[in-house]
Amino acid sequence: MADLAPAGHSAAPPRVDAPAKVTGTARYTADVRLPGMLYAKVLRSKHAHARLISVDASRARTVPGVHAVLTRDELDGIAPGYGYFVKDQPVVARDKVRYVGDVIAAVAAVDEATALRALELIDVAYEPLPAVPDIDAALADGAPVLFDKAPPGIVPPYGTGASALLRPRPNVCYEFRYETGPDDVWAECDHVFTDSFAFSRMNHFHLEPFVTVADVRGEQIEIWTSTQNPFPLRKELARVLGTAESKIRVNVPFVGGGFGAKNNCKTEPIAILLSKIAGRPVRYCLTTEEGFLTMTQHSAIVTVKTGVLADGTFVARESKVLLDAGAYSDGSPLVAEKAGYRMPGPYRWRHIKSSCECVMTTTTPAGPFRGFGAPQATWASESQVDMIARRLLMDPYELRVKNFKALGEPFVPGESGIDSDMREGLDLVAAELGYHSRERMPNRGMGLAVSLKDGGGVNKPATARVKIATSGDVYLSCGTVEIGQGAHTALTQVVADVLGCPREKVVYAPINTDITPFDQGTNASSGVAVMGQAVQRAAEDVKAKVLEFAASRLDCKAADLTLEGWAVLRGEEMTPLTGLIHGSFGGTGFEFTGEGFYKIATSHEAPLEAQCVFWENGWAGAEVEVDPDTGKITVLQLVASGDVGKAINTLTCRGQDEGAAMMGYAQALFEEMRFSDGVLLNGEALDYRVPLAEDLPRRFVSITQEQGHGPGPFGAKGAGEGAMVPVAAAIANAVHDAVGVRITQLPLTPERVFTALHGFEE
Amino acid sequence: MADLAPAGHSAAPPRVDAPAKVTGTARYTADVRLPGMLYAKVLRSKHAHARLISVDASRARTVPGVHAVLTRDELDGIAPGYGYFVKDQPVVARDKVRYVGDVIAAVAAVDEATALRALELIDVAYEPLPAVPDIDAALADGAPVLFDKAPPGIVPPYGTGASALLRPRPNVCYEFRYETGPDDVWAECDHVFTDSFAFSRMNHFHLEPFVTVADVRGEQIEIWTSTQNPFPLRKELARVLGTAESKIRVNVPFVGGGFGAKNNCKTEPIAILLSKIAGRPVRYCLTTEEGFLTMTQHSAIVTVKTGVLADGTFVARESKVLLDAGAYSDGSPLVAEKAGYRMPGPYRWRHIKSSCECVMTTTTPAGPFRGFGAPQATWASESQVDMIARRLLMDPYELRVKNFKALGEPFVPGESGIDSDMREGLDLVAAELGYHSRERMPNRGMGLAVSLKDGGGVNKPATARVKIATSGDVYLSCGTVEIGQGAHTALTQVVADVLGCPREKVVYAPINTDITPFDQGTNASSGVAVMGQAVQRAAEDVKAKVLEFAASRLDCKAADLTLEGWAVLRGEEMTPLTGLIHGSFGGTGFEFTGEGFYKIATSHEAPLEAQCVFWENGWAGAEVEVDPDTGKITVLQLVASGDVGKAINTLTCRGQDEGAAMMGYAQALFEEMRFSDGVLLNGEALDYRVPLAEDLPRRFVSITQEQGHGPGPFGAKGAGEGAMVPVAAAIANAVHDAVGVRITQLPLTPERVFTALHGFEE
C-alpha cells in the first residue's frame, strides 16, 4: 500500500460542498428535469475522413416519439463553425466528416432508446477519403487536407516578440512564434544539443460527462450546462446561433470535473437547436465513450535545440512544438501559444526562439487540458536539461540550480518576475526524496524536474459581489464554477476571513449569466489568484459599507468602529447590527452589497500584451526501480510540489496538488489514447488505462509550498496544475538514472523501457 | 357591447412578457419539475371551530407511494405560528381548528391521486366548538374565543399620533389608533352625522393558484414559489423553520396574479417540511377551491361620525373600522393600520380620530388585498360624503371640491403632501361622464367618488442592479416580481430610457434571493415609484461607469462624452464601445455594473414613522339606471381614473387602471364570499360571481392621468390600485341619485336595491 504521507500542514476545515456531494444531494446538470423534456442522441461518423454525399433522415423523422431531427439541412442561419480563434467546427457535419465520431445528425425523442432507434434509420452515403492519422502524415508532402477552404479565424494582437500566423501551411491551422534576445549568441556556445521528444495524448476523463439541458422558448434560450466558462460560452453561442447574448441564459450547477475540456461549445449547440425544433426542453448527455470522441489533450512532437557553455551555463534555446490538434481547432491556438511561450522553463537565457504549430489530423479534436501546453513543453525541456547534465557530466540538480532565474527576475523582457524561489522549492523536494544522500543501487535511480506556467489567464478581468443580509448571513456571487477544485471552499473562506464571520454564514450563489457578475472563466488556476482578489475586494467593500451605515446610526466615524461578529465595536461598546438595521429600514430589514473588480494592469511591453498574474511553479522528484527483464517501472517514491503562495485552505490545496501529481503520474506511466489509422483503439473506461489505487507510488508525498509571493488574497497564487507538469520528466529522468536509457516518448510503458534497454524495435 | 374607449394616450410598446405568455412558453412555479418530485395534498378541517382530540395518520403512512406525512406530531423545532405581526397561524393545526379548511395534515406521494387516497385514511377526532361566524358574533359578550392563549406578537413603533394595541379585547388581535387635532372642535360643528356601512369580502381570484415546489437537501432549502415578496418570505420561513436565512433560497418565476394574497407563508412551509421528511422535492399546488380556503379580503363594518359647518365645511371625523380578520391574523394588523389611517380621505379636517380593529372569526383568514384597507375606508367615507351633501342640499361634487386638500398640502401633520390636484382629476371624470350637463331622467342617476391611499409601502428600501455586457446587452436585476402588473415592461423601459437603448436590449433577470438585490416586496404599487427609482439610479450609475471607462481609453473626460446607442460620441466623433472594451479586456470582454438604492427619508414627525412615498389617488364617476321592479342596476357609464404621475408605459398603466376599475366594479355589484355559520357557500369559480364580459358597463372609460408630481422616474407614481378604490361608492352614489335610496352594504345586488326601494326585509 502506498504511504500517503500527510502534507505537514495545520488542519483545515473540510470542503463546504462535501456534505452535498457525499450524500448525493448535490445537483449537476444531468440532474436537471424540465416539463416535457426530451432526450437527445447523435449519429457519429464511422469514417476518419470522408465527403458526405447524402444524409437522409426522412425515415427517422417518422418514428413515433421523435420530436426533432437535426442534420445539415437544418442549419439555416447557423454559423459555419465554432472554435476559439478558428471557427472551423460545424454543429453537425456539413460537407465532410473529419474523424471517427464526428457528429452527422442528432435526434431528440421521448427517451434515449427511441432516439437511438431513430438514428439507426438515418442513411448516410460517404465518399471515403484517406485518413490523416498523425502529425507526420499531416505534414507529409501531398498529404490529404482536412479543409478544402480555409475556415475563418482571427489572430489576437500580440506584444513584443510574439506573433502568430493563420494556416501557415496545409493542415496547420495556427502557428505561434516568439523570439527574444540576439541570435548571434549561438556562436558563443561550447555545445549545442538538439533532441526530439514525443508527448502522448490523454483523455480528460472528467467523471461527469459532457451534458446540456436546453430550453428554447420562442427567442429565449436557457441552458443548464456543464461548462467551465459560462460567459465566454454565452458569447460564442450567440455568434453561432446568430442571436443576441441577452437571449441566452447560461446556468451552471456543480460541474463534475473539467480539466480544461469543458470550454466553448460542446453539447450546447445541438441541445439548443433540437429544443428549438422540438419546441420542448432537450437533455443531451454524452456517454463516457462519447467523451473520448469529443475532446482530448494534444499529443506533440517537440524538438529542442539548446546551446550551453562548457560550465553548463545556458545560452540559447530554439524549439519547435508540433501539436496534434485533431480534426477541429477548438482551443488549439491558445494551447500552442502557451506551449511555445513556456519552452524556456524557469531558466536564464540570452536568446529564445519558439514556434508552436497546431497540426490538423483526422482524430478527436484536442483542446485545453490541465497544464495548458506546459506539460508538452516541460516534458521536452526537463528531459533535455537532464540529458545535457549527463552529457556535461554534471549533476542535473546542479545544472538546474546554476541556471534558475532568481526570485523576481522577469521570465522574458516585459513579463512578470518569477514569483517563486525555484531553488528553495527544488531543495525541499530533493530533501524529501533523499536525493543528495542516496546510495547507488542496481536498477534504482532518482530524477528531478521543475516547471513553470504563467497562471491566471491573459488580460483577465474578474468581478465579484458580496451581500450581507440583516441577519448577518452573507452571499457571495461570482462566475467561478465549482468544478471540483474547491472554489466554493476557498472563496467563501476569503469572504469569511475578511468579514471575521464563520464560514458557514457565507453562501456561494448559483451561477446564472443574467445575474452573476462577469468573469472570463474557470481556467488557468485563476480561482483564487484572480477571482479571489475580486472576492476579497467585494468583501472589503461591503464591510466598509456596513461600518459606514453603523457610524451614521451611532453618530461617529466609520474608522471608530470595528466589525465583531455581527456587531460593531466602538471602544468597549458593542452594538448588534440587526437592531440598527431594523431601526433604519423597518421590520423587513435590508441587505448591503459590495462589489469587487480585479484585472492585472496591461503591459504593452509584455509578449502576450499582458503580464501574467502569477507563475504556477512545480517541482517533482521520483525514485524508481526498473526491472530489466520486463521493463516495468516501479515508482518507489514520488514527491510533488506546487507553490500556492498562501494556502487559503490547506486541505483543498493538498487535494489539488495530489490530484495534479497523480494526473502527471498517469501520463508518465499509463494513459494514452491510441489511434490506428484514425480509429481510436481504447476509447472506453475499461480499455483506457487510468491508474488504480494499486498503481500508486510506494511512497507519495505532496508538499504544498507557501512561499508567500502570490498576488492573491493573503499572498495566494493558483493551484492545481503546478504539481502535475514536471512529474513525467522526473520519472523519465529517474529511469535514466537507474538504467542509463533515455525514453523520449510517453508513456513510459514496460515495452518502451524494455526496447530501449535491449534494442528491440518497438 | 361595452364601449371600450381608448385612454387617449399615444401608442406604447407592448408588454415585454406578452409573447411568452401568449404562446404559453412563460414558466410559472407550477411548471417547475425536479428529479424525483413528489406531489402534496392536504386534509382540511370540516369544522369551523373544534378542539383536535386526535390525529392518527398511521394508516396513511403505509400507503404505497406515500413518502411523507405531516401532522402536528412532526412539528418539533417548528415555531408555533407565522404571521406578519401576530404569529398565530400554525403550519398544520396543533390544538384546534379554527375554520372550515384549516389544514390538519399533509401528504406527499408519487402523485396527487395517491396523496388524496392517503388523506382519506387519516382519522381525526374533533370536539366541536361553537363557530364565530362574523364580527358581531365575535364581539358579543361571552363569545367563544378562538385563541385560549394569546399568540406572541409585536407592535411596531409608531410616530406622532398613532399607536396600536395587541389583543385589546377577546377575539381582537390588534387595534390601530390615530388621532390628530383638538377634539373640542366638535362643539363648533353645525351638524354631526353618524352612519354605518358594511363592506363585503372578496376573494383575490388570482388565476395562478398558490403553489410551491420545495427541494430540501440536507440543511439546504430551495423553493420555487408563487409569492409577491421573496425576501420577507425568506425571513419568515427562517424564523418558522428555526434555520438561518442563508439556508433558504427563494426563486420566483412568473406569478399569475397576487392582488395581495401572495405574501408571507402560504404553501411554502408545508412543501418544505414534506420535502425534508421525504428527502425528495415536493410540489404543493392548491386548487382554485382551496384558494378560497386560504386567503381573502376583509369584510368590514365601518362607523363614521362627521361634523360639518352649515356651509358644508368639514370640521371633524371620528371613525371605527372593524375588519373581519378570519381565523388567523396574517396581514390584518397592517391592513387595519392602513384602513384606519386613510379614513380622512383627501379632505381638510381640524380633528381626526380613527380606530381599526382586527376581529377574529372562524372563517378563512383575511389579509392584504388590492387597495389595502382603502376600499373599506373609501366605501364608508365617500358614501357618507354623498349622504352629507344631500342632507345639506348641496351638490356632492361641490361639497368635495369645497373640502379637498390643495396640491402639496400634508395629508396629516408630518405626512407627505397630497401629490395630485384632486379637483383637476374630479373635473376630468365629471366632464367625461357629462356630470354637469346631465338631464334628469326617471330611474337614472350619476354619482362621483374619490379616494386616496398612501402608496409605496412604509419605510421601504429598494435596491437594483444593471449590468451591461460587451455587446451592449443590458441585464436588470431587482426583486420586483412580475405578478402581471407589467413590472418587467415598465422597469426595463426605465433602463432603456436612461441608457438610450432599445428596450429589447434589456433583460429582466430571474429572481433568486441569493443573488437578486434586496427588496422589501412587490406591493403597495411600489414597482415604479420605489423600485423604479432604484432602477433608474442603477442605470445612471452604470452609464456613468461606461462613460468613465470610455474616457479613460480616449484620454478625455467623461463629461465630454455622450452615450449614443452602444457607442460614445465626442464632438462629431463616434467610437463604438465593443472595440474599446475588447481592447482593454481582451477577447472575452467585460460587463459593467451599476447599483441603485432608494429609500424615502424617514420622518419621525410622521404618524407611521415615515412619510409615504406618493399618494395613489383615484376618481370614479358612474351613471346608472335602476329597474324599480327588480332592483337591478345597469351601469350606463363608468369613468375611472388614477393619477400615475407619469406613465412609463401607457398601455400597461391603462391595463392596470382598467383591471383595477373592474375589480371595484365587481365588488360593487357582484362578488362576495358568503358564509353561513362559518361555512363558505360559494367557494368555487362557478358559484362565485366574477363579472363576465357581458356584465361590463355599457360605456367604460379609463383615464390615466399624468399630473407629473410623482417621485419616481420621470415624475411617475404607482398605479393599479387608485382606479379600483372609489368605484363602489360612485355606483352607490349614482343609485341614490337615480332612485333616492341609499345602500350601505356591498355588493349592490338587485335584492338589496329592491328591498331598499320597497321596504322588504332582506
Side-chain angles (χ1 to χ4, degrees):
Chain A
M1 195 56 220
D3 172 14
L4 293 170
H9 280 287
S10 58
R15 291 176 65 112
V16 294
D17 52 354
K21 288 181 171 174
V22 168
T23 58
T25 59
R27 286 277 158 78
Y28 295 81
T29 297
D31 298 315
V32 172
R33 293 287 178 280
L34 296 178
M37 193 173 80
L38 303 171
Y39 296 80
K41 295 306 273 181
V42 299
L43 180 69
R44 296 178 180 277
S45 170
K46 294 170 185 171
H47 293 269
H49 197 192
R51 216 170 288 286
L52 273 185
I53 305 303
S54 67
V55 178
D56 179 0
S58 54
R59 288 192 300 150
R61 293 178 205 280
T62 65
V63 173
V66 167
H67 288 259
V69 177
L70 176 69
T71 69
R72 62 187 184 179
D73 299 332
E74 280 79 32
L75 295 181
D76 267 5
I78 306 303
Y82 55 81
Y84 285 62
F85 290 166
V86 183
K87 309 298 185 183
D88 60 3
Q89 185 159 7
V91 173
V92 295
R94 289 175 185 255
D95 54 336
K96 284 173 94 175
V97 286
R98 296 185 179 85
Y99 72 102
V100 172
D102 213 353
V103 176
I104 296 172
V107 166
V110 292
D111 52 36
E112 290 194 348
T114 304
L116 287 169
R117 260 201 320 278
L119 290 173
E120 288 172 11
L121 302 177
I122 296 178
D123 301 306
V124 182
Y126 301 91
E127 175 194 332
L129 298 167
V132 184
D134 55 31
I135 290 172
D136 289 341
L139 299 181
D141 284 343
V145 293
L146 275 76
F147 290 90
D148 305 333
K149 206 179 115 196
I154 52 156
V155 170
Y158 285 108
T160 312
S163 64
L165 295 171
L166 270 178
R167 288 174 65 89
R169 42 191 176 137
N171 288 334
V172 176
C173 72
Y174 198 90
E175 179 182 0
F176 172 79
R177 293 178 182 175
Y178 178 66
E179 182 166 6
T180 187
D183 71 353
D184 55 10
V185 297
W186 285 107
E188 301 173 28
C189 296
D190 297 313
H191 306 279
V192 174
F193 303 106
T194 301
D195 298 287
S196 264
F197 302 88
F199 186 86
S200 58
R201 167 140 63 162
M202 285 172 81
N203 180 253
H204 298 74
F205 216 81
H206 36 81
L207 286 183
E208 183 200 33
F210 292 103
V211 53
T212 300
V213 175
D215 185 19
V216 181
R217 285 163 280 157
E219 287 195 329
Q220 305 297 323
I221 298 166
E222 181 158 15
I223 59 172
W224 289 256
T225 196
S226 183
T227 187
Q228 301 178 221
N229 294 348
F231 288 95
L233 174 63
R234 181 183 68 181
K235 181 182 176 215
E236 180 71 340
L237 285 172
R239 194 192 60 77
V240 171
L241 301 168
T243 186
E245 283 187 52
S246 56
K247 300 296 182 198
I248 304 174
R249 182 184 294 159
V250 180
N251 299 278
V252 185
F254 278 126
V255 169
F259 308 111
K262 292 175 175 172
N263 286 297
N264 208 285
C265 299
K266 293 289 173 290
T267 37
E268 296 85 1
I270 285 177
I272 291 169
L273 289 177
L274 286 173
S275 174
K276 192 173 177 183
I277 295 168
R280 285 169 64 168
V282 169
R283 176 182 190 270
Y284 176 35
C285 182
L286 302 193
T287 62
T288 297
E289 292 69 27
E290 287 180 293
F292 278 90
L293 300 176
T294 303
M295 180 62 3
T296 72
Q297 193 190 32
H298 292 87
S299 64
I301 297 170
V302 187
T303 306
V304 201
K305 174 180 159 196
T306 300
V308 302
L309 300 184
D311 69 352
T313 302
F314 291 174
V315 177
R317 174 170 272 184
E318 202 171 309
S319 58
K320 177 157 199 167
V321 183
L322 300 173
L323 297 176
D324 185 342
Y328 298 107
S329 67
D330 196 77
S332 292
L334 273 176
V335 176
E337 181 182 306
K338 293 304 183 185
Y341 190 53
R342 292 163 182 167
M343 277 304 298
Y347 304 111
R348 198 174 292 125
W349 306 95
R350 292 167 61 199
H351 175 67
I352 279 294
K353 186 174 179 184
S354 304
S355 118
C356 184
E357 299 185 14
C358 306
V359 181
M360 311 307 290
T361 64
T362 56
T363 63
T364 308
F369 189 99
R370 198 175 202 166
F372 218 107
Q376 290 87 344
T378 303
W379 164 243
S381 172
E382 285 297 298
S383 291
Q384 199 199 30
V385 166
D386 216 78
M387 292 157 80
I388 292 169
R390 292 174 197 273
R391 288 163 182 156
L392 299 179
L393 303 178
M394 289 180 71
D395 187 299
Y397 166 87
E398 297 299 340
L399 183 63
R400 288 188 171 88
V401 166
K402 183 181 189 76
N403 289 288
F404 275 152
K405 282 206 142 102
L407 175 66
E409 194 175 341
F411 172 65
V412 292
E415 179 56 274
S416 307
I418 306 290
D419 54 7
S420 294
D421 184 320
M422 292 303 299
R423 176 169 180 164
E424 181 181 327
L426 188 62
D427 283 344
L428 269 174
V429 167
E432 184 65 43
L433 191 68
Y435 181 84
H436 297 297
S437 55
R438 71 191 192 276
E439 292 174 36
R440 300 250 31 137
M441 293 173 65
N443 301 323
R444 285 203 185 185
M446 285 189 181
L448 301 171
V450 302
S451 64
L452 111 181
K453 66 180 287 280
D454 45 311
V458 175
N459 219 336
K460 190 177 167 78
T463 52
R465 189 183 306 126
V466 174
K467 63 176 193 169
I468 308 188
T470 305
S471 53
D473 286 343
V474 183
Y475 300 86
L476 165 62
S477 183
C478 68
T480 296
V481 176
E482 177 58 73
I483 53 175
Q485 84 281 46
H488 285 196
T489 302
L491 295 175
T492 57
Q493 184 112 38
V494 168
V495 174
D497 287 353
V498 171
L499 298 177
C501 70
R503 197 181 55 155
E504 293 66 39
K505 280 270 190 199
V506 187
V507 174
Y508 198 99
I511 293 175
N512 172 318
T513 49
D514 279 10
I515 328 181
T516 300
F518 182 79
D519 174 47
Q520 281 209 350
T522 305
N523 46 36
S525 301
S526 60
V528 164
V530 176
M531 183 55 82
Q533 297 197 64
V535 168
Q536 185 178 23
R537 290 169 192 190
E540 283 162 355
D541 185 38
V542 75
K543 182 178 175 178
K545 284 179 179 166
V546 168
L547 291 177
E548 276 159 31
F549 161 78
S552 76
R553 297 289 294 184
L554 298 173
D555 258 341
C556 66
K557 288 177 183 164
D560 301 339
L561 300 174
T562 54
L563 195 62
E564 296 284 336
W566 193 228
V568 287
L569 193 65
R570 182 191 185 186
E572 299 287 296
E573 190 191 358
M574 188 84 106
T575 310
L577 278 158
T578 305
L580 279 189
I581 297 168
H582 282 304
S584 186
F585 294 101
T588 316
F590 188 58
E591 288 184 353
F592 297 90
T593 303
E595 300 264 344
F597 165 70
Y598 172 75
K599 178 182 176 296
I600 193 163
T602 299
S603 159
H604 291 278
E605 294 300 301
L608 303 182
E609 258 223 288
Q611 292 161 292
C612 86
V613 181
F614 65 93
W615 291 97
E616 190 164 0
N617 301 300
W619 298 262
E623 183 179 16
V624 301
E625 178 164 17
V626 178
D627 181 340
D629 295 335
T630 63
K632 181 172 163 40
I633 298 165
T634 301
V635 178
L636 303 174
Q637 295 191 75
L638 178 65
V639 181
S641 181
D643 171 22
V644 302
K646 162 74 185 169
I648 302 297
N649 183 298
T650 54
L651 199 62
T652 307
C653 286
R654 190 179 152 199
Q656 281 291 295
D657 272 350
E658 289 183 354
M662 279 305 103
M663 216 153 174
Y665 181 74
Q667 180 132 37
L669 299 178
F670 303 100
E671 295 183 40
E672 179 182 28
M673 290 175 66
R674 303 201 68 152
F675 291 86
S676 170
D677 207 27
V679 179
L680 178 61
L681 300 177
N682 58 343
E684 52 181 290
L686 278 177
D687 300 338
Y688 181 76
R689 184 71 167 87
V690 176
L692 308 176
E694 67 194 29
D695 296 319
L696 284 181
R698 294 268 177 88
R699 178 168 183 260
F700 172 38
V701 179
S702 154
I703 303 172
T704 303
Q705 295 182 52
E706 296 181 275
Q707 291 199 13
H709 310 301
F714 319 113
K717 307 208 272 182
E721 300 184 273
M724 172 192 185
V725 178
V727 169
I731 291 175
N733 294 343
V735 169
H736 186 272
D737 191 51
V739 292
V741 297
R742 170 62 54 182
I743 317 288
T744 58
Q745 183 166 9
L746 285 174
L748 306 171
T749 57
E751 293 86 337
R752 289 198 176 115
V753 176
F754 183 89
T755 304
L757 277 171
H758 303 290
F760 292 95
E761 284 292 317
E762 211 185 336
Chain B
M1 198 54 222
D3 173 12
L4 293 170
H9 280 286
S10 58
R15 293 176 64 115
V16 293
D17 51 356
K21 288 182 170 174
V22 168
T23 58
T25 59
R27 284 278 157 78
Y28 294 82
T29 296
D31 298 316
V32 173
R33 292 289 177 279
L34 296 178
M37 192 174 80
L38 304 171
Y39 295 79
K41 295 305 278 181
V42 298
L43 180 68
R44 297 177 179 276
S45 170
K46 295 169 182 169
H47 294 268
H49 197 193
R51 216 169 287 285
L52 271 185
I53 303 305
S54 67
V55 179
D56 180 359
S58 53
R59 289 195 296 152
R61 292 178 206 280
T62 66
V63 174
V66 167
H67 287 259
V69 177
L70 177 69
T71 69
R72 60 186 185 182
D73 298 333
E74 279 80 29
L75 295 182
D76 268 5
I78 305 304
Y82 56 81
Y84 284 63
F85 290 167
V86 184
K87 309 296 187 184
D88 59 4
Q89 184 159 8
V91 173
V92 294
R94 290 174 183 257
D95 55 337
K96 285 173 91 175
V97 285
R98 294 184 180 86
Y99 73 102
V100 173
D102 215 351
V103 176
I104 296 172
V107 166
V110 292
D111 53 36
E112 291 195 347
T114 304
L116 287 169
R117 262 201 319 279
L119 290 173
E120 286 172 13
L121 300 177
I122 297 179
D123 301 305
V124 182
Y126 300 92
E127 176 194 329
L129 297 167
V132 184
D134 55 31
I135 290 173
D136 288 341
L139 299 180
D141 284 343
V145 293
L146 274 76
F147 289 91
D148 305 334
K149 208 181 112 194
I154 52 155
V155 169
Y158 286 110
T160 312
S163 64
L165 294 171
L166 270 179
R167 286 176 65 90
R169 45 190 173 134
N171 287 335
V172 176
C173 74
Y174 197 89
E175 180 182 358
F176 172 78
R177 293 178 183 174
Y178 177 66
E179 183 167 3
T180 187
D183 72 353
D184 56 9
V185 297
W186 285 108
E188 300 173 29
C189 296
D190 295 315
H191 305 279
V192 173
F193 304 107
T194 301
D195 299 288
S196 263
F197 303 88
F199 186 86
S200 58
R201 168 140 62 163
M202 284 172 82
N203 180 254
H204 298 76
F205 216 82
H206 35 81
L207 285 183
E208 184 201 33
F210 293 103
V211 54
T212 300
V213 174
D215 184 19
V216 180
R217 283 163 283 158
E219 286 195 329
Q220 304 297 324
I221 299 166
E222 180 158 16
I223 59 172
W224 288 257
T225 195
S226 183
T227 187
Q228 300 178 224
N229 294 347
F231 288 94
L233 173 65
R234 181 183 69 179
K235 182 184 177 215
E236 179 72 341
L237 285 172
R239 194 192 60 76
V240 170
L241 301 168
T243 188
E245 283 186 53
S246 55
K247 300 296 182 200
I248 304 173
R249 181 183 296 160
V250 180
N251 299 280
V252 185
F254 277 126
V255 170
F259 308 112
K262 290 173 176 175
N263 286 297
N264 209 281
C265 299
K266 293 290 175 289
T267 36
E268 296 85 2
I270 285 178
I272 291 169
L273 290 176
L274 286 173
S275 174
K276 193 174 179 181
I277 294 169
R280 285 171 62 170
V282 170
R283 176 183 191 268
Y284 177 34
C285 182
L286 302 192
T287 62
T288 297
E289 291 71 26
E290 286 180 294
F292 278 92
L293 300 175
T294 301
M295 181 61 5
T296 71
Q297 192 190 33
H298 291 86
S299 66
I301 297 170
V302 188
T303 307
V304 202
K305 176 180 156 192
T306 301
V308 301
L309 300 184
D311 69 352
T313 303
F314 290 174
V315 177
R317 173 172 272 183
E318 202 171 310
S319 60
K320 178 159 198 165
V321 181
L322 300 173
L323 297 175
D324 186 341
Y328 298 106
S329 67
D330 195 78
S332 291
L334 272 177
V335 177
E337 182 183 305
K338 293 303 183 186
Y341 188 54
R342 290 162 181 169
M343 277 304 300
Y347 303 112
R348 197 175 291 123
W349 306 95
R350 292 167 61 198
H351 175 68
I352 280 293
K353 187 174 178 183
S354 304
S355 121
C356 182
E357 299 184 14
C358 307
V359 182
M360 311 305 289
T361 63
T362 56
T363 62
T364 308
F369 189 100
R370 198 175 203 166
F372 219 107
Q376 290 87 344
T378 302
W379 164 241
S381 173
E382 285 296 297
S383 291
Q384 200 201 29
V385 166
D386 216 78
M387 290 158 80
I388 291 170
R390 291 173 199 273
R391 285 163 184 158
L392 298 179
L393 304 178
M394 288 179 71
D395 186 298
Y397 167 86
E398 296 297 341
L399 183 65
R400 288 186 171 88
V401 167
K402 184 183 189 75
N403 288 288
F404 276 150
K405 282 205 140 102
L407 176 67
E409 194 175 341
F411 172 64
V412 294
E415 181 55 275
S416 306
I418 306 293
D419 54 8
S420 294
D421 183 319
M422 292 302 299
R423 176 166 180 168
E424 182 181 325
L426 189 60
D427 284 344
L428 270 176
V429 168
E432 184 67 42
L433 191 67
Y435 182 84
H436 296 299
S437 56
R438 73 191 191 275
E439 291 175 36
R440 298 251 31 138
M441 292 171 68
N443 300 322
R444 287 202 182 185
M446 284 189 180
L448 300 171
V450 300
S451 63
L452 111 182
K453 68 179 287 282
D454 44 311
V458 175
N459 219 337
K460 191 177 169 74
T463 51
R465 188 182 308 125
V466 174
K467 62 176 192 170
I468 308 189
T470 304
S471 54
D473 287 343
V474 183
Y475 300 85
L476 165 63
S477 183
C478 69
T480 296
V481 176
E482 177 60 72
I483 53 175
Q485 84 281 43
H488 285 196
T489 303
L491 295 175
T492 56
Q493 183 110 41
V494 168
V495 174
D497 286 354
V498 171
L499 298 177
C501 70
R503 196 180 58 156
E504 293 64 38
K505 279 268 188 200
V506 187
V507 174
Y508 198 98
I511 294 175
N512 172 317
T513 50
D514 278 10
I515 327 181
T516 300
F518 183 79
D519 174 48
Q520 282 209 350
T522 307
N523 47 35
S525 301
S526 61
V528 164
V530 175
M531 183 56 82
Q533 296 197 64
V535 167
Q536 185 179 22
R537 289 170 192 190
E540 283 162 356
D541 186 37
V542 76
K543 181 178 175 178
K545 285 177 178 164
V546 168
L547 291 178
E548 277 159 31
F549 161 78
S552 77
R553 297 289 294 184
L554 298 175
D555 257 340
C556 64
K557 289 179 182 164
D560 301 338
L561 300 174
T562 54
L563 194 63
E564 296 284 336
W566 193 226
V568 286
L569 193 66
R570 182 190 184 186
E572 300 287 297
E573 190 191 357
M574 189 83 107
T575 311
L577 278 157
T578 304
L580 279 189
I581 298 168
H582 283 305
S584 187
F585 295 101
T588 316
F590 188 58
E591 289 185 353
F592 298 89
T593 303
E595 299 264 344
F597 166 70
Y598 172 76
K599 178 181 175 299
I600 193 163
T602 301
S603 159
H604 291 278
E605 295 298 302
L608 303 183
E609 259 222 287
Q611 294 162 291
C612 84
V613 181
F614 65 91
W615 292 96
E616 191 165 358
N617 302 299
W619 298 261
E623 182 179 15
V624 301
E625 178 163 17
V626 178
D627 182 340
D629 295 335
T630 62
K632 181 172 164 38
I633 297 165
T634 301
V635 178
L636 305 173
Q637 293 191 76
L638 177 64
V639 181
S641 180
D643 171 22
V644 301
K646 163 72 185 170
I648 303 295
N649 182 298
T650 54
L651 198 63
T652 307
C653 288
R654 191 178 152 197
Q656 281 290 295
D657 273 349
E658 288 183 356
M662 278 305 103
M663 214 153 175
Y665 181 74
Q667 180 132 37
L669 300 177
F670 303 100
E671 293 183 44
E672 181 181 26
M673 288 175 68
R674 304 203 67 156
F675 290 87
S676 170
D677 208 27
V679 179
L680 179 60
L681 303 177
N682 58 341
E684 52 180 294
L686 277 178
D687 299 338
Y688 180 77
R689 185 70 169 87
V690 177
L692 307 177
E694 65 192 31
D695 296 320
L696 285 179
R698 294 268 177 88
R699 177 170 184 261
F700 172 39
V701 179
S702 155
I703 303 171
T704 303
Q705 294 182 51
E706 296 182 275
Q707 291 200 9
H709 310 301
F714 319 112
K717 306 207 276 183
E721 301 185 274
M724 172 194 186
V725 179
V727 170
I731 292 175
N733 294 341
V735 169
H736 186 273
D737 190 52
V739 293
V741 297
R742 171 61 54 181
I743 317 287
T744 59
Q745 184 166 8
L746 286 174
L748 305 171
T749 56
E751 293 86 338
R752 287 196 178 116
V753 176
F754 184 89
T755 303
L757 278 171
H758 303 290
F760 291 94
E761 284 291 317
E762 210 183 338

